[in-house]
Amino acid sequence: LDMPMTFEIDKAAKMVMIAVSGIPTKAEATRAMLDLSLNPDFQKGYAILSDNRSVFRLAAFDVVEAMIQACINNIDIFSASRISFVVQNDTSLGMMVLLAIRAETFGLKASLFWTKEEALKWLGEAKWS
């Protein structure tokens, strides 16, 4: 079964890597964020890196909104997280900018990057700021 959104939790690094491919549906986006929030290995304050470099078509606005809503519904656990989005094309950049702005309105710290290295650097800085 090909899942458009999968995540891997690195407890040592206190980080979650979300891999997004294809075009997730609203239900898949909601389920992925809910599964993450309920995972016993995911702790409050863990950094989140969402790798969207395999997304080649624009995510629908309702999918983006569903992801944000899932985070808001579980704000207790997501509130202390920094979320970085890695994009590789202008198509996904626009929607991810929107996602980051929406996330910030709810107190989530979000930022966008062209490379995974930049995203990891920004996430790492959170530990000392």
Side-chain angles (χ1 to χ4, degrees), residues 8-74:
E8 191 180 315
I9 300 171
D10 182 339
K11 291 204 294 190
K14 297 187 174 176
M15 180 180 295
V16 180
M17 306 278 272
I18 300 175
V20 185
S21 62
I23 304 159
T25 65
K26 189 175 172 179
E28 287 164 340
T30 302
R31 165 62 45 206
M33 297 314 286
L34 184 63
D35 286 351
L36 176 59
S37 72
L38 296 172
N39 191 302
D41 289 341
F42 178 63
Q43 301 293 315
K44 186 170 182 159
Y46 274 28
I48 300 170
L49 188 148
S50 179
D51 190 345
N52 300 274
R53 291 174 297 175
S54 297
V55 175
F56 292 101
R57 284 222 322 262
L58 194 57
F61 179 74
D62 65 333
V63 172
V64 171
E65 196 61 29
M67 278 185 74
I68 293 290
Q69 197 58 55
C71 287
I72 295 161
N73 292 347
N74 299 284

Side-chain angles (χ1 to χ4, degrees), residues 103-120:
E104 298 245 324
T105 57
F106 292 99
L108 299 166
K109 293 176 188 71
S111 199
L112 283 95
F113 301 92
W114 290 110
T115 70
K116 199 168 171 180
E117 293 69 32
E118 289 174 308
L120 287 168

